[in-house]
Amino acid sequence: MSRFQVVSGKGGTGKTTVAAALALALATEGKRALLVEVEGRQGIAQLFETEALPYEERKIAVAPGGGEVYALAIDPELALLDYLQMFYKLGSAGRALKKLGAIDFATTVAPGIRDVLLTGKACEAVRRKDKSGRFVYDYVVMDAPPTGRVTRFLNVNDEVAGLAKIGPIHNQAQAVMRVLKSPETAVHLVTLLEEMPVQETADGIAELRAAKLPVGRIIVNMVRPEVLDEAELELVRAAPRTALAKSLSAAGLGGARRGGNAEKLVDPLLAQVEEYAERYALEHEQRSVLGGLGLATHELPLLAEGMDLAGLYELADELRKQGMS
């Protein structure tokens, strides 16, 4: 597994949940993972049922085997202060600029600067080592912007390096791109077995590849259980109505104690079968499309009890079983 795991996906596919589960899955057997948020939604804090994350790395979970998950919500303005201090030693002058609103102006008027700061801060965490020369984090997982924006977001440093030919900005942008375009990085895409998310995933993969960014794996989220396979569907559809009614009656449905008739349940049952068959065909069609994209694909189940902290650990365990650790 690459040390920098970037997770993107169409809105509504659960990319933040998958990023959090992946961080838990990677932080096994004493490993340490940092989960990074860049969109300011505090989605990570909600998933781990903790207070809003400050602009500092904070331990939020312990994984099976004693691993640790830390989290960081990157604030662009504070990241710019870090940058000014790191390269220009501005110190209190940087804080004065913040009071004057210059930093807010810079990150608002030049959105590219904001993305440079966000990606730069995450890559700094990837490269950081302790006094003994070991990496502080075994893995860094980023909950990245949606698929439609992720390529531009990750590739912005390439544009900045081209604009600023020399100096610390150029050097910083080049250092970030060395991480992002290396085997250290993998960009995973989260999708659902639905036409629009799958199409956006295909488009996103094409854009990432065109930008020479390393595409990782496809993670299909919220997969509903397969109740009937194709052969069983055909058996139900071909069964005579009287046989279906007898089967329902034998199962204790529509009996006298309910004051009903099993035959009355046949039409609703067949309607459900047709609805399921339509979804079954659509999902298999979308699996076929994903299979043609040439990437390893993983599937995570739709949790019957909904998403909570226990569910997050369940998804992490599923990712580990599928080799994403």
Side-chain angles (χ1 to χ4, degrees), residues 191-201 282 285-286 289:
T191 187
L192 305 177
L193 289 175
E194 298 174 6
E195 188 173 0
M196 287 185 64
V198 167
Q199 183 59 55
E200 191 161 318
T201 298
L282 173 64
E285 180 183 345
Q286 299 312 311
V289 173

Side-chain angles (χ1 to χ4, degrees), residues 137-252:
Y137 294 106
D138 297 287
Y139 297 100
V140 176
V141 180
M142 177 190 281
D143 177 19
T147 316
R149 294 197 291 115
V150 70
T151 300
R152 178 67 187 274
F153 172 78
L154 295 174
N155 213 37
V156 68
N157 287 275
D158 235 2
E159 299 176 18
V160 170
L163 292 172
K165 299 297 184 182
I166 58 172
I169 294 178
H170 173 82
N171 295 337
Q172 166 72 358
Q174 281 199 321
V176 170
M177 291 314 299
R178 278 196 294 271
V179 173
L180 292 179
K181 292 194 174 183
S182 77
E184 277 192 293
T185 298
V187 185
H188 308 299
L189 297 177
V190 181
T191 187
L192 305 177
L193 289 175
E194 298 174 6
E195 188 173 0
M196 287 185 64
V198 167
Q199 183 59 55
E200 191 161 318
T201 298
D203 293 342
I205 290 169
E207 290 176 4
L208 289 165
R209 285 172 170 165
K212 295 182 172 56
L213 289 163
V215 185
R217 308 181 189 190
I218 297 169
I219 303 169
V220 184
N221 196 23
M222 294 186 273
V223 177
R224 287 171 285 194
E226 187 174 284
V227 180
L228 301 173
D229 61 24
E230 192 169 354
E232 290 168 329
L233 274 171
E234 289 306 314
L235 280 174
V236 175
R237 283 168 152 175
R241 293 176 60 87
T242 53
L244 289 174
K246 286 181 180 179
S247 296
L248 291 170
S249 182

Side-chain angles (χ1 to χ4, degrees), residues 52-124:
L53 297 173
Y55 180 59
E56 63 182 35
E57 293 158 23
R58 172 180 291 181
K59 187 166 79 170
I60 59 170
V62 176
E68 297 176 327
V69 176
Y70 286 72
L72 170 66
I74 303 179
D75 182 297
E77 288 195 3
L78 296 177
L80 182 53
L81 282 179
D82 285 350
Y83 180 88
L84 293 173
Q85 175 60 24
M86 184 184 305
F87 293 108
Y88 297 103
K89 310 298 182 188
L90 287 186
S92 58
R95 290 189 292 274
L97 284 173
K98 177 174 173 58
K99 289 181 180 179
L100 290 171
I103 293 175
D104 182 55
F105 176 80
T107 55
T108 302
V109 174
I113 294 296
R114 179 183 181 279
D115 291 348
V116 166
L117 296 167
L118 295 171
T119 53
K121 185 68 177 177
C123 288
E124 181 275 325

Side-chain angles (χ1 to χ4, degrees), residues 240-250 253-255 260-270:
R241 293 176 60 87
T242 53
L244 289 174
K246 286 181 180 179
S247 296
L248 291 170
S249 182
L253 299 174
N261 190 317
E263 291 183 359
K264 294 180 180 179
L265 298 178
V266 172
D267 284 338
L269 173 64
L270 291 175

